[in-house]
Amino acid sequence: WASLLRGALGVTGPYDRVVLHPGVYEEQAEVALKVPVELVGLGRLGEVALLVCIEQQCPTARLCNLVFMPPWFSTVVYRTSWGHVQMDNCNFEGAQLQIRGPGTCQARFCSFSQGSSLHLFSVSLSLLDSCDFSGSDTASVTVEGPPVSERNWACKHLAALARTFPSGFISSPKAPRASSTGGNPAGGNAKKEPMSTEEWKTRMGGDAGCHGTVIEDGWSDGDCSEGDDEKKDGRGPLEDGTLPAASSPSPPPVTPEPLTLQEELERDQEAQIMAASILGCIVRRCLFRDGKGGVHLSNYGQGRLEENVFRGLNYAVRCIQNATIVMLRNEVCECCASGVFLRLSAQGLIAENNIHSNGEAGLDIRKGANPIILCNKIHSGLRSGIVVLGNGRGSIRSNLIYNNKEAGVYILFSGNPVVSGNHIFQGQAAGIAINENGRGMITENVIKENQWGGVDIRRGGDPILRNNYICYGYSDGVVVGERGRGLIEGNHVYCNKGCGVWVMSSSLPQLLGNYIIHNCMYGLAVFCRKDSENMEEAHENFNEEGELFAWESDLDSEDGGHSARRSISVALVESNCLSYNGAVGLYVKSSEAMNVFANLVNSNRGPGIAVLQSSQLTRLVTNCILENDRGGVTVEKDCRVELRGNGIYENRGHGVRFSGIGQIVENDVVGNHGNGIQVSTSADIKVMRNRVQPAQGCGIALLGAVKGLIHDNILFEGHPDYKKKLIHLDSGNESCVLHNNILRHNNSCTSAPSWVLENPPPRPAASSPSGISSSQFPSRLGLSMTTRVGATVESGCHSGSMFCSIL
């Protein structure tokens, strides 16, 4: 059979069909196809084998029912640089094909095995349909170089054929939703109703408000009257029968659903254009299995992958060096490394794929890559779902990211993506982790049921975290660890088993306008302990195949989102709602300064605000603190605290219990069940221009060797059944100066005092001082009288975060 093929091709005319009978055809030198020809093997596939190297030098050729194996002198079995080749039902074993633009290729029902590969160089358009790639030593399909502008005759035909395949504009059936009741996500379109507070309590093994909580010793607010240990069924309304604005006894009833691909494309013209693009290599309905790589694009190459399966590879898709990839409805699973890997300014659209069970990240984005990632299922990975690092960017929207062993989305080393509208749930670590100078715009995601923190920020992480739902986690909602920063604004953080927000005092976050409610431990806790005392360090290996990268540390100046932020030198907590949490609303045990402005702190099971350690000044300004179970504000010995312009109403212990250093100025302390303001031990304090009316105890109680100045306060008598002094000063105290305080007693036997808070109206005022954002919460608190409310006194608060480590 030697040289028979060459002889037959030498006498073939244009567009002849050469029929090859069963056997092995071997050529000792390269064979040239100089006229259009069709090579067809007779019999079953495998009966006709060619050990040849063919160069096509004609406009078109067709290969059918043949097995190609490399000859002894070359691994290349077929090449063309300007013509079109069509391959139907052929096998390639250990062979390589090379197509150079303007040459084109169409392969259907072909098998590439034993290290076979297809190399496309600057190809404007080629189509691979229903092929099987297995056992590759490198990538099975390599696309390199930008598509050439020159077109051969087949491009028009291939473009028409490509458009017959369904495009990415129609969304596939709904993927699994995040279950509110635990377990594996269920398929189908049935919507899960969100969990009620009672269901959450049952699931957590009892009362969600106090489960696993231990209040520290010495937290008794004392002087609580009989009946105060009665359990409240609910929180008392205001005089007009309404609850304070933003203070809800129930968590949010619903969370937003991810958008469909159709909805995402309608609002993103760039993604829409990419979804319709048909340039480069189009790979459809192919199987890539059991080899090193699937598809590799580089150096401005373009590719489109639709409904393929990538399984058991080292990596499925690698897109680098300004290449562009469009991936629609593929399955990428069981890769040893990352499933889809983009770097060096790669871009593209990755939509409606099922990416799961990979050894590293499902998607790895780095080195300036900037893809659009829409409506994928990214789950069950052995590491993170998506990793963005090394100045990687990207728009990650409306994906379902769940059941990954590490963070659902991990951002580090100056990674700066947009992460929006995703459901990130049931992960075995954090939902989103921002680490090592990572940034990012994290908006409108539902982050729930994760084992560790819903969002974890540390070691220079500096994201914008806005309008997310962070809920039903098994640890804390948001963790800001050592050297963490970020703008945390407008989020709903609720029903987490740990704290709502856990901050380490070396961090500088801004918390603005968040709803931090119904968490089992503290609403917001600020600690001074080091991460190493509380967490295991995780060492993620982000090198690929042993390659070491020098990560850039510079931040990309093109992002204007961060420049709009206020520059701060201390942590800022402003205009948040800290309500119905299982322990203290705001717990401070910090070595750094902190500003707490215009927050609503109500109905927490511990004190509203507790400052146990504060070597730098903690400023509590224009907050509304009401109906907390263990008192309004507690300040322990040696803490430096300023209370100014707060409204402290109807708390079940003392209004203010102060043992530190600082001042209490222009607050309204009304209707609290213990003393209005209790100052004890050796505090050095100024108490000035406050309005105080206790429900049961003293107005101002000065206990022990208090050193301070008490002047220009107005004190109103409380309930007539309680006859304690409006001002109590321990005998023998000569270091405390009382001056110009006004005492107003009731003149009637009625139970209601004949007074109202006016001129100014009840603090905090609706319009805050200059430089402080106004709070919508306190403006509803037009109290004209106070009532006594009974509740139990719990004994305990957690002394630290449940968060263990971040991977």
Side-chain angles (χ1 to χ4, degrees):
W1 300 101
S3 300
L4 286 180
L5 178 61
R6 183 187 300 272
L9 293 175
V11 298
T12 299
Y15 302 103
D16 282 348
R17 172 180 291 179
V18 177
V19 178
L20 301 177
H21 290 267
V24 177
Y25 297 81
E26 183 176 5
E27 295 293 335
Q28 300 299 315
E30 186 174 88
V31 176
L33 293 183
K34 298 187 177 180
V35 296
V37 68
E38 183 177 14
L39 296 178
V40 179
L42 282 182
R44 295 191 301 269
L45 177 63
E47 292 184 353
V48 179
L50 278 65
L51 279 72
V52 296
C53 175
I54 298 176
E55 180 176 1
Q56 180 180 329
Q57 301 174 0
C58 57
T60 186
R62 178 172 181 257
L63 312 174
C64 181
N65 203 40
L66 302 169
V67 175
F68 284 86
M69 294 181 286
W72 64 270
F73 58 90
S74 175
T75 59
V76 178
V77 299
Y78 200 94
R79 63 163 63 97
T80 182
S81 58
W82 63 278
H84 172 70
V85 59
Q86 179 173 330
M87 297 173 284
D88 296 323
N89 198 37
C90 292
N91 283 1
F92 298 88
E93 299 178 1
Q96 185 182 128
L97 288 81
Q98 295 180 356
I99 313 295
R100 292 185 180 271
T104 54
C105 168
Q106 180 182 2
R108 300 181 300 180
F109 306 104
C110 293
S111 173
F112 296 78
S113 61
Q114 301 178 28
S116 295
S117 60
L118 178 61
H119 291 247
L120 302 153
F121 300 95
S122 298
V123 170
S124 57
L125 191 58
S126 284
L127 178 60
L128 310 179
D129 192 352
S130 305
C131 296
D132 184 344
F133 298 85
S134 63
S136 64
D137 296 326
T138 56
S140 294
V141 177
T142 298
V143 183
E144 182 178 349
V148 295
S149 57
E150 184 181 355
R151 302 286 189 269
N152 67 16
W153 70 271
C155 285
K156 184 176 180 181
H157 162 74
L158 289 174
L161 188 63
R163 291 191 178 97
T164 64
F165 199 82
S167 70
F169 283 88
I170 300 176
S171 181
S172 61
K174 296 277 186 178
R177 300 295 185 190
S179 168
S180 293
T181 56
N184 294 324
N189 293 320
K191 289 179 64 176
K192 296 282 186 181
E193 290 299 323
M195 187 184 303
S196 68
T197 305
E198 292 305 317
E199 290 172 328
W200 177 246
K201 290 179 182 180
T202 301
R203 175 177 168 186
M204 287 305 178
D207 191 336
C210 62
H211 183 72
T213 342
V214 182
I215 298 234
E216 297 186 10
D217 293 337
W219 273 60
S220 172
D221 275 314
D223 294 339
C224 294
S225 65
E226 294 182 7
D228 277 353
D229 56 350
E230 297 174 4
K231 176 68 179 174
K232 287 191 289 184
D233 293 327
R235 302 298 180 177
L238 303 181
E239 289 300 302
D240 62 0
T242 63
L243 287 166
S247 173
S248 171
S250 300
V254 295
T255 54
E257 294 289 344
L259 298 181
T260 64
L261 180 58
Q262 177 70 40
E263 291 167 333
E264 283 285 2
L265 293 177
E266 286 173 355
R267 68 177 192 169
D268 187 336
Q269 186 176 9
E270 180 184 2
Q272 194 174 115
I273 292 171
M274 284 189 178
S277 170
I278 57 169
L279 280 177
C281 179
I282 300 174
V283 184
R284 294 175 173 168
R285 297 174 292 215
C286 294
L287 172 62
F288 296 81
R289 58 190 173 91
D290 305 325
K292 182 173 182 180
V295 176
H296 176 88
L297 296 96
S298 65
N299 192 23
Y300 295 92
Q302 296 189 21
R304 180 183 179 95
L305 313 180
E306 300 183 25
E307 294 194 353
N308 304 285
V309 174
F310 298 85
R311 185 179 66 226
L313 305 165
N314 190 34
Y315 67 88
V317 177
R318 179 182 293 172
C319 186
I320 65 173
Q321 295 171 326
N322 300 97
T324 302
I325 185 74
V326 175
M327 291 184 64
L328 301 175
R329 299 181 299 276
N330 301 277
E331 181 178 12
V332 178
C333 63
E334 299 173 11
C335 293
C336 297
S338 298
V340 180
F341 185 78
L342 302 103
R343 67 180 173 100
L344 298 174
S345 302
Q347 59 181 328
L349 172 66
I350 299 172
E352 285 196 335
N353 301 282
N354 185 9
I355 302 172
H356 66 95
S357 309
N358 296 291
E360 298 288 337
L363 282 156
D364 187 316
I365 304 165
R366 58 178 86 182
K367 288 285 188 177
N370 190 21
I372 301 172
I373 299 169
L374 306 178
C375 306
N376 300 280
K377 292 191 295 177
I378 303 168
H379 62 101
S380 308
L382 301 182
R383 301 294 290 270
S384 298
I386 299 176
V387 171
V388 185
L389 66 158
N391 285 312
R393 298 171 68 87
S395 183
I396 302 167
R397 309 198 306 265
S398 299
N399 300 280
L400 297 180
I401 303 171
Y402 60 95
N403 195 33
N404 296 288
K405 285 194 174 180
E406 296 180 5
V409 178
Y410 201 172
I411 305 168
L412 67 167
F413 296 125
S414 300
N416 191 15
V418 173
V419 182
S420 177
N422 303 281
H423 276 219
I424 303 171
F425 59 99
Q426 294 179 2
Q428 298 175 43
I432 298 178
I434 305 100
N435 227 321
E436 305 295 350
N437 299 315
R439 292 169 61 182
M441 177 76 74
I442 316 296
T443 64
E444 298 178 354
N445 301 282
V446 176
I447 304 167
K448 65 191 299 183
E449 299 175 8
N450 295 287
Q451 292 291 331
W452 296 355
V455 176
D456 185 278
I457 306 165
R458 66 185 66 240
R459 291 193 287 274
D462 190 14
I464 295 174
L465 185 67
R466 180 178 289 145
N467 299 337
N468 300 280
Y469 291 80
I470 304 170
C471 54
Y472 298 109
Y474 292 92
S475 184
D476 306 313
V478 177
V479 175
V480 185
E482 183 181 3
R483 294 186 292 107
R485 299 180 66 92
L487 173 62
I488 301 170
E489 181 177 19
N491 301 283
H492 294 261
V493 185
Y494 60 94
C495 292
N496 295 287
K497 194 172 181 182
C499 305
V501 179
W502 190 98
V503 178
M504 207 177 90
S505 63
S506 63
S507 305
L508 289 175
Q510 300 179 59
L511 285 93
L512 308 179
N514 300 283
Y515 298 84
I516 304 171
I517 61 175
H518 293 281
N519 298 287
C520 292
M521 294 184 182
Y522 306 118
L524 167 60
V526 183
F527 287 96
C528 60
R529 65 186 59 193
K530 296 292 184 183
D531 283 358
S532 57
E533 296 177 20
N534 211 41
M535 304 179 185
E536 299 174 1
E537 287 289 340
H539 300 284
E540 178 93 63
N541 176 18
F542 289 104
N543 299 329
E544 182 196 11
E545 300 167 9
E547 183 179 3
L548 296 176
F549 294 104
W551 303 115
E552 297 93 347
S553 60
D554 59 304
L555 297 180
D556 194 338
S557 60
E558 294 178 3
D559 180 20
H562 284 230
S563 61
R565 267 191 245 179
R566 270 183 277 178
S567 176
I568 63 168
S569 57
V570 298
L572 175 64
V573 179
E574 182 176 344
S575 300
N576 301 282
C577 176
L578 301 161
S579 304
Y580 297 95
N581 297 290
V584 186
L586 169 60
Y587 179 97
V588 179
K589 195 172 182 181
S590 171
S591 57
E592 304 291 338
M594 184 174 180
N595 290 333
V596 182
F597 297 156
N599 300 279
L600 172 64
V601 185
N602 79 292
S603 305
N604 297 286
R605 294 177 65 90
I609 299 176
V611 184
L612 273 70
Q613 177 181 326
S614 179
S615 56
Q616 302 295 320
L617 179 63
T618 296
R619 300 182 64 215
L620 308 177
V621 181
T622 65
N623 300 285
C624 180
I625 304 163
L626 76 156
E627 295 185 354
N628 296 285
D629 283 0
R630 298 291 300 275
V633 178
T634 296
V635 178
E636 294 294 349
K637 184 179 178 182
D638 299 326
C639 296
R640 296 186 58 210
V641 177
E642 175 189 356
L643 280 81
R644 183 181 296 272
N646 301 283
I648 304 171
Y649 304 107
E650 298 188 37
N651 298 285
R652 296 186 61 246
H654 302 306
V656 177
R657 184 168 70 85
F658 201 102
S659 302
I661 303 167
Q663 53 186 356
I664 303 172
V665 181
E666 296 178 350
N667 303 280
D668 285 337
V669 186
V670 175
N672 300 285
H673 289 204
N675 297 320
I677 299 175
Q678 176 179 296
V679 183
S680 59
T681 68
S682 57
D684 186 354
I685 190 167
K686 293 180 180 179
V687 182
M688 303 178 292
R689 299 187 298 278
N690 300 283
R691 297 183 295 192
V692 184
Q693 186 239 13
Q696 302 171 16
C698 299
I700 298 177
L702 306 168
L703 309 177
V706 173
K707 178 182 178 182
L709 178 62
I710 317 297
H711 70 87
D712 292 322
N713 300 284
I714 302 175
L715 292 92
F716 302 92
E717 188 176 44
H719 197 283
D721 292 345
Y722 298 95
K723 300 298 183 181
K724 293 190 176 182
K725 296 178 181 180
L726 286 179
I727 296 183
H728 170 83
L729 178 64
D730 278 358
S731 59
N733 187 331
E734 298 179 356
S735 59
C736 191
V737 178
L738 280 65
H739 175 68
N740 199 31
N741 298 288
I742 299 173
L743 310 182
R744 292 188 178 176
H745 297 276
N746 290 329
N747 296 321
S748 67
C749 295
T750 62
S751 60
S754 56
W755 60 273
V756 293
L757 297 177
E758 58 184 6
N759 192 29
R763 298 183 179 97
S767 58
S768 300
S770 175
I772 302 174
S773 300
S774 63
S775 170
Q776 61 175 324
F777 313 142
S779 62
R780 299 281 298 277
L781 299 174
L783 298 179
S784 60
M785 59 175 289
T786 61
T787 56
R788 176 176 164 278
V789 184
T792 61
V793 177
E794 292 298 330
S795 66
C797 253
H798 184 58
S799 61
S801 171
M802 289 183 64
F803 186 86
C804 296
S805 58
I806 177 64
L807 293 183

